[in-house]
Amino acid sequence: MRIVALAGGIGGARFLRGLKEAVAPGDEITVVGNTGDDIHLYGLKVCPDLDTLMYTLGGGIHEEQGWGRADETWSIKAEMKEYGVGPEWFGLGDRDFATHLVRSQMLTAGYSLSQVTEALCVRWQPGVRLLPMSDDRVETHVRITEDGTPKVVHFQEYWVRLHAAVDAEAIVPVGADTAKPAPGVLEAIAAADVILLPPSNPVVSIGTILAVPGIREALVAASAPVVGLSPIVGGAPVRGMADKVLAAVGVESSAAAVAAHYGSELLDGWLVDAADAGSVAAVEEAGIRCRAVPLLMTDVAATAEMARAALALAEEVRA
Ligand code: GDP
Ligand code: CA
């Protein structure tokens, strides 16, 4: 079986770890990763979501934090601070720096981001084929008002420096409109037997991937069923700021509203948490097959159960 999943960082990576447990030997998983969170710092290209996927699936992640390397040290950051060079709010550890150095060196030498990602995965062996959504530069920006001043900040600044404490007024994936899907992305979607949308952020992770012209269209045209899992449980994100960015695009923070936001053209099936069983009927009325199952990724076994439920729902809508 060929499975394609679109994914952001932590939510996507944790789900994929469960999916790897749930699939049969020989099944192939292709992951299309969000690169709208990418940021250039100190002349280096940092790809937070691709790295979270790679480190989580490759066994190098800082488990509690959910991002960055295990057993990290912070000498470079301390030295930068002595020079007064920021941004202080963004944490890049020493081990993590090596990834960004290798990536940036290869990009400077003329390799594409897909080629670089493949090269980094030779070390990490994530057990999936990891593709960036695009080799072209896309950067998610957020319009906010800070201390009475309207401004636009990079998504990382909104999330990491501001902790999403101010309202997001608009989300703009800068560059997405002219970006091309990375080599292999459309082909993988067309050849897939099942397409999954993990419980990643519907706006700044999955939404950004869908904003690359051709990707949403390929999912709609695909013969494979598309099944998603809600990142919203009991009316709130399990973790992070999905409520803030959903509000910015006029979508209520509920499992049913996120399904409607993706739409019945895109989604064939949708899993909501058992706590949201009351919304199953509304989702089905909107033309999307829906089931309520436990959706908390408390450990790999529980996450594998979620993945099995998603694969079962895909079989059900295919029938
Ligand atoms: P990010 O790029 O690191 O923000 O990660 P993603 O976009 O892949 O995932 C973020 C989303 O994962 C958030 O909206 C969370 O609500 C969701 N999430 C995190 N943990 C869980 C969980 O255990 N269950 C569910 N259903 N969603 C989760
Ligand atoms: Ca992200």
Side-chain angles (χ1 to χ4, degrees):
M1 190 159 66
R2 281 169 293 200
I3 303 168
V4 170
L6 312 190
I10 300 178
R14 290 195 171 156
F15 174 75
L16 289 163
R17 198 152 59 175
L19 178 66
K20 278 171 62 183
E21 280 286 303
V23 298
D27 288 352
E28 282 169 27
I29 304 172
T30 300
V31 177
V32 179
N34 171 43
T35 56
D37 291 14
D38 293 6
I39 185 166
H40 292 77
L41 291 169
Y42 323 112
L44 302 178
K45 183 166 176 85
V46 179
C47 301
D49 285 358
L50 293 181
D51 290 345
T52 295
L53 290 162
M54 205 165 64
Y55 296 159
T56 303
L57 300 174
I61 197 77
H62 186 302
E63 283 293 339
E64 294 70 42
Q65 207 167 249
W67 56 272
R69 292 291 315 279
D71 306 318
E72 190 56 284
T73 54
W74 300 91
S75 299
I76 301 177
K77 191 173 167 73
E79 289 295 312
M80 296 305 284
K81 189 174 176 181
E82 293 301 326
Y83 284 112
V85 174
E88 244 183 80
W89 49 266
F90 203 77
L92 290 184
D94 301 332
R95 288 171 185 265
D96 201 16
F97 254 105
T99 304
H100 314 312
L101 286 168
V102 174
R103 173 183 291 122
S104 305
Q105 185 179 37
M106 285 188 71
L107 288 171
T108 304
Y111 291 97
S112 68
L113 184 60
S114 326
Q115 291 170 319
V116 174
T117 304
E118 193 181 340
L120 293 170
C121 285
V122 170
R123 171 179 180 196
W124 289 103
Q125 295 292 314
V128 302
R129 179 168 171 237
L130 178 59
L131 304 175
M133 65 186 197
S134 178
D135 282 340
D136 302 321
R137 181 167 170 173
V138 177
E139 245 176 50
T140 302
H141 290 184
V142 183
R143 200 182 75 217
I144 60 166
T145 301
E146 196 180 17
D147 304 325
T149 310
K151 56 163 95 165
V152 170
V153 295
H154 190 289
F155 171 72
Q156 295 298 347
E157 187 169 353
Y158 180 68
W159 177 223
V160 183
R161 180 175 74 83
L162 296 165
H163 306 291
V166 295
D167 287 342
E169 295 157 9
I171 313 289
V172 185
V174 178
D177 51 341
T178 55
K180 290 175 298 301
V185 169
L186 298 182
E187 292 81 352
I189 292 171
D193 298 305
V194 177
I195 298 166
L196 298 177
L197 305 186
S200 284
N201 189 303
V203 181
V204 294
S205 293
I206 307 276
T208 310
I209 301 172
L210 295 175
V212 175
I215 296 188
R216 181 181 238 280
E217 294 77 359
L219 292 173
V220 171
S223 56
V226 179
V227 171
L229 299 93
S230 179
I232 305 292
V233 169
V238 178
R239 150 179 200 144
M241 50 29 228
D243 49 338
K244 291 283 189 170
V245 293
L246 280 167
V249 298
V251 177
E252 180 195 306
S253 281
S254 74
V258 173
H261 174 63
Y262 283 134
S264 60
E265 215 196 13
L266 179 77
L267 275 186
D268 299 301
W270 185 242
L271 290 180
V272 300
D273 185 73
D276 297 310
S279 61
V280 168
V283 176
E284 296 223 313
E285 265 163 47
I288 300 162
R289 198 77 66 91
C290 185
R291 295 287 175 266
V293 296
L295 285 190
L296 290 181
M297 300 189 281
T298 41
D299 55 29
V300 177
T303 312
E305 269 313 302
M306 288 167 51
R308 283 187 201 101
L311 295 171
L313 185 55
E315 287 317 312
E316 198 183 318
V317 295
R318 196 202 307 279

